[in-house]
Structure formats: C-alpha cells, structure tokens
C-alpha cells in the first residue's frame, strides 16, 4: 500500500508503458549494485506493493513471483563490484538502471526513477524522492532488485560461509567487518570502499 504521508505524485504521462526503476545495494561492501525496471499491467493489479525494505523476506519473495507473472515487462540488471570501483557507486548505480531499462520488452515510454536524479537515459521520465513508497511500479522494481541481490548474497555465502553474507547481505555490520579483519577481502569485495581498502593494505 502506498503511503498517504507523502504529497501526491503528479506524472506527466498517461499511457500504459510507464516503467518504475529502483536499485538495491549502494551501501554494501561486496557484490554488485542491482537495479530493476517494471512496467505494471493496469489490467492485472498486484495488491501489497510497497517499499521492499518494509516487507518481510517471505512476503517480498511472494510478491516477486506475482510481479514476474503479471507485469507487462520487467528486467533486472547489475553493475559489478569491479564497475563500482571503476565508476564510483553513483555512476555504477545509474549504469545498472540503464541496463535494466534497455532490457525491457516492450520498451518503456516513460520512467519513474526512485531518488533525485535520472540515470541519463534517452527515455523521458522523472525522479521521485521516496518513490518506492509513492508509486507501485517503483515499489515493484524495489522488490525485484532486493530479492535478486539477496539471492546473490546467499549464493556467495554458500561459497564463503565464514563471512556471513546470507545474514548481513554484504552490509558493513560488525560481523562482516570482523570477518574482513580476520579473513581479508574476497575478489567480490568493493576495493574502493573504505573498510575493504584498509584491509587490503594489511593482506
């Protein structure tokens, strides 16, 4: 359910190919930043869409399946940890967003992007602060991106169980920082991020 505490969202587009765009993974020390783009089908509404951070994991995963089954189009894309290091997290986030937008079929005609900046795509659109709580298409994108990135962290945890990735999802929690100090960075870690950079100097 979209929150009523934010001002009404005025959209300068009235067609059916409006894509919501959101990302997950700006803050973690490891892995890609993941973006999703979703064009919802007005004829097949999905109940309960909201900011992915407000949903428990089982509910997010159930909604992920509904979005994939009912949306007119959806795409999930990423920018790798190496691209984050090469471009910085801001530009890597926009790269992942552009990749998701480009992968939509049918293509989007208008973009609603969570945040305060558009990702530099030729499709017109608008940036929406707290958009994942203000428009269902952005909320749907936040859910797809969150479920995809969390699954990647669970897979990384299976390969490197001593780091606890399935629990903290790569964020700089005390558990993660302690594992970095004890074991050193992995190739998947973002070398430009301070805690990783400091450990690289020691190993």
């Amino acid at each position: 359910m979209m929150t009523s505490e934010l001002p009404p969202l005025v959209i300068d587009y009235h067609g059916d190919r409006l894509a919501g765009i959101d990302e997950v993974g700006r803050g973690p020390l490891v892995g890609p930043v993941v973006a999703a783009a979703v064009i919802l089908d007005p004829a097949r509404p999905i109940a309960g869409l909201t900011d992915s951070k407000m949903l428990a994991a089982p509910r997010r995963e159930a909604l992920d399946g509904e979005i994939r089954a009912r949306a007119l189009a959806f795409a999930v894309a990423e920018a790798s940890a190496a691209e984050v290091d090469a471009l910085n997290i801001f530009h890597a986030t926009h790269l992942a967003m552009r990749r998701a937008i480009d992968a939509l079929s049918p293509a989007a005609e208008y973009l609603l992007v969570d945040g305060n900046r558009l990702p530099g795509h030729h499709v017109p659109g608008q940036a929406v602060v707290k958009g994942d709580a203000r428009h269902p298409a952005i909320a749907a994108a936040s859910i797809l991106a969150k479920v995809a990135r969390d699954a990647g962290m669970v897979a990384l945890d299976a390969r490197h169980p001593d780091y606890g990735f399935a629990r903290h999802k790569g964020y700089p929690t005390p558990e993660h920082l302690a594992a970095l100090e004890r074991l050193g960075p992995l190739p998947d870690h973002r070398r430009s991020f301070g805690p990783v950079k400091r450990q690289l100097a020691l190993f």
Side-chain angles (χ1 to χ4, degrees), residues 138-164:
I138 303 177
S142 79
I143 290 165
L144 291 192
K146 174 68 172 166
V147 170
R149 193 178 192 284
D150 283 359
M153 288 296 99
V154 171
L156 187 63
D157 183 81
R159 298 196 297 274
H160 304 283
D162 292 337
Y163 287 81

Side-chain angles (χ1 to χ4, degrees), residues 29-31 81-82 85 153 155-165 168 170 176 179-181 183-192 195-197 199-200 203:
L29 305 179
V30 66
D85 290 335
M153 288 296 99
L156 187 63
D157 183 81
R159 298 196 297 274
H160 304 283
D162 292 337
Y163 287 81
F165 295 124
H168 55 66
H176 190 182
L180 262 178
E181 184 175 349
L183 303 168
L186 296 168
D188 305 86
H189 275 100
R190 300 173 180 177
R191 277 142 165 71
S192 58
V196 180
K197 186 184 297 185
Q199 292 305 317
L200 283 167
F203 279 82

Side-chain angles (χ1 to χ4, degrees), residues 9 55 72 109 115:
L9 178 58
L55 298 167
L72 284 176
E109 294 178 343

Side-chain angles (χ1 to χ4, degrees), residues 79-161:
S80 68
E83 288 172 320
V84 170
D85 290 335
L87 299 174
N88 77 38
I89 187 60
F90 175 81
H91 292 295
T93 296
H94 281 187
L95 174 61
M97 287 181 171
R98 291 193 298 272
R99 286 171 172 165
I101 295 163
D102 287 341
L104 288 171
S105 181
E109 294 178 343
Y110 196 82
L111 310 176
L112 288 183
V113 181
D114 185 60
N116 58 10
R117 295 283 294 275
L118 290 171
H121 200 278
H122 63 84
V123 176
Q126 64 193 81
V128 183
V129 174
K130 297 185 178 178
D132 47 11
R134 299 175 68 188
H135 195 278
I138 303 177
S142 79
I143 290 165
L144 291 192
K146 174 68 172 166
V147 170
R149 193 178 192 284
D150 283 359
M153 288 296 99
V154 171
L156 187 63
D157 183 81
R159 298 196 297 274
H160 304 283

